[in-house]
Amino acid sequence: MDSRDKVPPPGLQRAALTAACLLVLTAAGGLVLWLLVHLAPLTLALVATLLMAALVEPIPRWLRAVRVPAWLAALAGVLALLAIIAVPIALIGNQTVRQWPHLRKGLDEGLDKVRDLLLNGPFPINTRQLDSITDTLQNALVRAAPDPAAGAGAATQTVASIVIALVLLFFVLKDGPGMWRWALGMIPRRSRERVDTAARAGWEALVSYIRGTVLVAAVDAAGIGVALLVIGVPLALPLALLTFVAAFVPIVGATVAGAAAVLIAFVSNGLTDALLVLAAVILVQQAEGNLLQPLIMGRALNLHPAVILVAVTAGTLLAGIAGAIVAVPITAVGYRVAMVLHRDRAGPEQEPEPEPEPVGS
C-alpha cells in the first residue's frame, strides 16, 4: 500500500489544526480568566483606574497646559473625583437621615395595606397561611445574609481595591503617556504600530463610553429626581442618585432603580403616586433609549442588546455588582480593538469590511 494513502485528506488536516488552535486558545483564555478571578480585587482596581482616568483626564491635561506641575495636576484630578463622589453622598445621606422617620412610618402603613389586600382581597389566603409565608421569607433572608467574617473580608478587599485604584489613578494621570511608551517598547518592533493604533482606538472607545454614560446617567437622574419631587415622594434625591449609579449597569440597572422608586412611592404615598412614578420612569427610560443613547453615545457602544445582557450577566456572576459595571466597557473596548486589528490585517490593498450594525438599531 502506498504510504501516501495513509495521509489524511487536506480538509481533515485543516479541521484538526483549527481544533488544536481552538483548544490552545481556550486553555490560555481559561488560565487568564482564572487568574483575573483569583486576583479580583487587583483586577477590579485596574479596571476602575482606567474608567476613572477616562472620566477625569481632561482636568490634569488642562492644568498641565497652563504650566502646572504634572504631579500637582494629577493630584487635582484625584481630588476632583473624590469631591464629585463624596459631596453628593454626604448631602443625600443627611437628607436620608432626616426623612427616615417619615419613610419608616410610610413603610409600616404600606405593609399593612398589602397585608389587608392579601387577606380581604380576591386572593385565597388566610391569616395562618400569610404568617407562614412571612416566616419562610424571613428565614430565607436570614440564611441568605452573608457570614460576618466573610462580610468583613469582603469589606477589607473593597477598601483595599479602592485605595489601590486611587493610587494607580494618580500615577496614570501623572505618567500615563510615558507608561504607555514603556509598555509599547516591549512589543516587537514590527507590531508596535498596529498595537498602538488598536490600543488608542480602545482608549477612545472607553473615553466615549464612560463620558457618554455619565451624561446619560445625569440626565436620567435629573428627570427621575424632578418627577419624584413634583409628585412628593420622600427620598427623592437618594433615589435620583440610585438612578445615576444604576445607569452604569445597562438594561438591568434602569429596571432596578425604577422598581425601587415605584416601591418607595407605593409604601409612602399610595397606589396613585406609585402609578405616576411608574409612568415617569417609563417616559424617562424611553427618552433615554430612543433619543439620549443614540445621540450622546453614538458608536461608542456598537453592541447588540443581547451581547450587553450576556456581558452584564457574566460580569455579575464573576464579580458581583462591580463585575456588572465593568463588563460592558470591557466588552466595548475589546470589540473596538478587535475591529481595528481586523481592518489593519486586511491591508491597504483591500477594502475593509464595514463594522456590523447592531440588529434593531
Side-chain angles (χ1 to χ4, degrees), residues 36-37 40-41 43-44 311-327:
L36 293 178
V37 171
T43 302
L44 292 176
V312 171
T313 304
T316 303
L317 294 176
L318 291 174
I321 296 177
I325 293 175
V326 303

Side-chain angles (χ1 to χ4, degrees), residues 99-113:
Q99 293 189 359
W100 179 251
H102 173 70
L103 181 62
R104 178 69 180 272
K105 180 181 177 181
L107 179 61
D108 293 338
E109 294 176 354
L111 291 176
D112 291 339
K113 292 178 183 177

Side-chain angles (χ1 to χ4, degrees), residues 218-235:
V219 175
D220 285 354
I224 296 296
V226 169
L228 295 177
L229 287 173
V230 171
I231 297 172
V233 178
L235 300 180

